[in-house]
Amino acid sequence: MKQTGITAPEGFLAGGIACGIKKSGKPDLAVIYSEVPAVAAGVFTANQYKAAPIIVSMEQIKSKSCRAIISNAGNANCGTGKKGIEDAKLMVKTAAEVFNINSKQILVTSTGSIGKQLPMDKIVGGIKNLKATKDGGSDMAQAILTTDTRKKEIALDMGGYTIAGVAKGSGMIHPNMATMHCFITTDAKIEKSTLQKLLKKAVENSFNMITVDQCMSTNDCVFVLANGMSGVKPKENDFYTGLEKVCKYLAIEIARDGEGATQLIIVNVSGAKNEKEAKTAARAIAGSDLLKCAVYGKDYNLGRIYAAVGATSVKMDAGKIKADMKFGEKETIIICDLGAGYARAQAWGCDMTEGYVKINADYHT
């Protein structure tokens, strides 16, 4: 049976289990494993207050090759000082022993509540019981979730090779990454430097164009592992097209699954002076709390759009600017022509509801 998730590319295995981090008893420990060494690329949060596993993985990814990603949910291992770094390294060390690979070939991530030490006895025991299999992708996707309401997975057949991805994220979502993890696998043959360049560009056009609540997380990361097992070395442009498609799909699904959300907001900006200003305007509109509330109430209020754009430094012609709001059952399209040029951009967000307040008011309780 053809795999449809993170294990769809040749040579990738995955798994997820519950090791007791989450009080709910839901899965909270995951692994992605490559049967052969893969090149790795990564993009990390721009937040200055980075979590321990982010700091560790920023060093680990400098290795020439990577074999695995170990990830836990329910505890972010952030604000945990020196011990947090030691615990992230212990996760790496334990995974290296279990999967019989070099510890330098493992990336580590955590997501969940900030400021609490990891329950390392549960995590170490969990890693020792963790199995990576070809049909374990769905369990892996489930085990990285926090306030998400559903898994986010995709596999793209590129004709000779495959690009697959899995992501988590629902709150603390804002450009320059979010409280999100995204893991991408491919069996294409590609150089590490090229993979890093293409990933950075894809992230700029996808994950950095979504917002749920304008709160930037401490634990964001996007990783790509390419193990070359298909034997296909694709053209750079062709690979990028597939990579961006995977990233955009997962980014949109994160916005759609925003905490308490009932509507995906799609913002289309045109008439900008250049692409940079088009993106700035699109992000400003998508991130406007007043606009998000208007979408929730299906309040046709173009003033929310004009105010959001006007508060930025982008060039606009007040006499030519045009806007519209198109409400659907589950999606709302926001259109804004700045009247200042020909550049376009698209951003994604979600409405603001009582559900968002409830989730975050009760987050620790």
Side-chain angles (χ1 to χ4, degrees):
M1 184 172 122
K2 185 173 177 59
Q3 300 297 319
T4 57
I6 197 69
T7 62
E10 188 175 350
F12 284 99
L13 311 176
I17 61 171
C19 72
I21 303 172
K22 294 179 180 177
K23 293 180 181 179
S24 66
K26 292 180 179 180
D28 48 24
L29 187 65
V31 67
I32 298 171
Y33 173 82
S34 176
E35 294 178 317
V36 299
V39 297
V43 177
F44 300 89
T45 181
N47 195 309
Q48 296 182 70
Y49 196 69
K50 291 176 173 60
I54 293 297
I55 295 170
V56 172
S57 286
M58 288 176 75
E59 287 300 314
Q60 293 286 103
I61 207 163
K62 295 176 183 178
S63 175
K64 291 183 180 180
S65 64
C66 179
R67 292 286 299 276
I69 301 170
I70 186 76
S71 179
N72 76 269
N75 185 314
N77 191 12
C78 180
T80 48
K82 183 179 178 182
K83 188 175 187 308
I85 297 291
E86 293 172 350
D87 287 346
K89 289 181 177 180
L90 180 56
M91 288 178 67
V92 168
K93 179 176 180 293
T94 306
E97 293 170 352
V98 169
F99 293 98
N100 194 29
I101 54 179
N102 191 313
S103 62
K104 292 182 179 180
Q105 295 179 312
I106 301 175
L107 301 173
V108 59
T109 74
S110 299
T111 182
S113 298
I114 293 173
K116 296 179 180 180
Q117 298 292 342
L118 288 173
M120 288 307 295
D121 55 336
K122 295 179 180 179
I123 292 176
V124 169
I127 294 174
K128 290 179 179 179
N129 290 321
L130 198 53
K131 301 290 189 296
T133 64
K134 196 63 179 174
D135 60 358
S138 181
D139 291 338
M140 180 271 152
Q142 186 69 42
I144 62 174
L145 306 183
T146 50
T147 58
D148 308 63
T149 65
R150 55 185 175 271
K151 296 178 289 186
K152 303 163 182 71
E153 305 172 272
I154 183 175
L156 193 62
D157 185 347
M158 296 295 292
Y161 66 96
T162 303
I163 305 175
V166 61
K168 64 80 53 180
S170 186
M172 286 186 77
I173 305 292
H174 192 55
N176 272 327
M177 307 272 285
T179 184
M180 49 150 281
H181 288 164
C182 174
F183 308 132
I184 299 169
T185 57
T186 181
D187 48 14
K189 293 181 67 174
I190 187 167
E191 294 182 358
K192 183 178 178 71
S193 59
T194 301
L195 188 62
Q196 182 65 44
K197 177 183 70 174
L198 298 182
L199 175 62
K200 184 177 180 181
K201 181 180 177 182
V203 167
E204 283 295 325
N205 291 326
S206 57
F207 297 111
N208 282 357
M209 294 303 294
I210 61 173
T211 183
V212 168
D213 49 18
Q214 301 194 74
C215 294
M216 186 191 298
S217 172
T218 55
N219 291 62
D220 305 339
C221 55
V222 180
F223 297 146
V224 183
L225 303 186
N227 66 13
M229 286 189 69
S230 69
V232 177
K233 186 175 183 180
K235 293 181 179 179
E236 190 172 308
N237 287 342
D238 292 341
F239 182 82
Y240 177 76
T241 297
L243 179 63
E244 185 183 74
K245 186 173 183 178
V246 167
C247 287
K248 280 189 175 181
Y249 173 83
L250 293 171
I252 292 170
E253 288 306 295
I254 287 173
R256 192 190 305 276
D257 193 30
E259 290 175 343
T262 65
Q263 288 271 309
L264 172 70
I265 298 175
I266 303 168
V267 179
N268 294 316
V269 167
S270 59
K273 179 182 177 182
N274 52 49
E275 184 183 22
K276 181 179 179 180
E277 294 204 352
K279 286 183 173 182
T280 298
R283 285 191 293 242
I285 294 169
S288 166
D289 286 343
L290 290 175
L291 178 122
K292 289 154 70 68
C293 290
V295 170
Y296 175 46
K298 289 185 168 54
D299 176 25
Y300 189 81
N301 189 342
L302 300 186
R304 302 310 193 197
I305 302 172
Y306 298 140
V309 173
T312 71
S313 60
V314 303
K315 184 177 180 181
M316 55 178 281
D317 188 326
K320 294 182 179 180
I321 188 170
K322 296 178 182 178
D324 196 8
M325 303 171 75
K326 298 180 179 180
F327 301 113
E329 185 178 347
K330 294 184 178 180
E331 297 183 358
T332 293
I333 299 175
I334 305 296
I335 299 169
C336 183
D337 188 324
L338 301 177
Y342 300 97
R344 298 173 175 269
Q346 190 172 60
W348 304 274
C350 63
D351 57 348
M352 181 72 73
T353 74
E354 300 94 331
Y356 177 85
V357 177
K358 177 66 174 173
I359 289 169
N360 286 284
D362 294 342
Y363 192 69
H364 275 113
T365 56

